[in-house]
Amino acid sequence: ASAQAGVYPFRLRLLSSAQPGEVTTVSAQLTVSPRERFSLSLSPSQLQHGDVTQVALHNEGNVATTFRLVGRDPANGLTFGNAGGRLHLKPGEVKEIPVKVAARQQPWLGQVESRPFEVVAASQSGVQQAQPGQLSVPPRIPTWLASVAGVLFLALCGGGLLLANALLLGDNNENSVAVAAPTVETPISP
């Protein structure tokens, strides 16, 4: 078990085995030095755009410590809801903080993008720990929808061309003259 940092006074009583009535008392003190230690975890670490991860911070040291929790990504393209604050933890205390991770901007078209990030806890003495994660960011318009829209656009253009052709050239049956093939009658003799 871990004792909290501090000074602990105590007394030591010594009894003589040769002279049973003789007792000596010695006063002393034990100093437990402060020890800073903590752990950080993310659950889950693989997220979809706008998902929440549970960040668990555990003060494993023997002194109360204030921590700063931040989220960061290399492109500075993500937001971290509920991160950026200060947390005060007593020795042995665990706090879970829900952190929502989202992209600042979603692409309009294309494939799902995978963006790395990390959540960092820093103690008041400057000791840091980071836990990595990945955020999947889908485009606003999925690839399959863009393909369907393209096919519909081509179908509408084709239909429009057929309609324009019919309107501009007119109906061939209205302006055409019917020509009858000449017929020859031949009597049949009995």
Side-chain angles (χ1 to χ4, degrees), residues 7-23:
V7 177
Y8 296 93
F10 66 93
R11 286 187 195 160
L12 189 60
R13 274 184 71 183
L14 302 169
L15 303 172
S16 171
S17 60
Q19 297 180 6
E22 196 172 312
V23 178

Side-chain angles (χ1 to χ4, degrees), residues 51-93:
D51 279 356
V52 174
T53 184
Q54 291 295 326
V55 178
L57 184 59
H58 181 195
N59 183 356
E60 297 171 343
N62 63 358
V63 63
T65 306
T66 300
F67 297 93
R68 185 167 173 257
L69 192 64
V70 296
R72 61 186 181 198
D73 67 291
N76 198 28
L78 303 179
T79 61
F80 299 89
N82 216 14
R86 296 195 181 279
L87 302 164
H88 186 76
L89 275 73
K90 297 174 186 171
E93 187 177 5

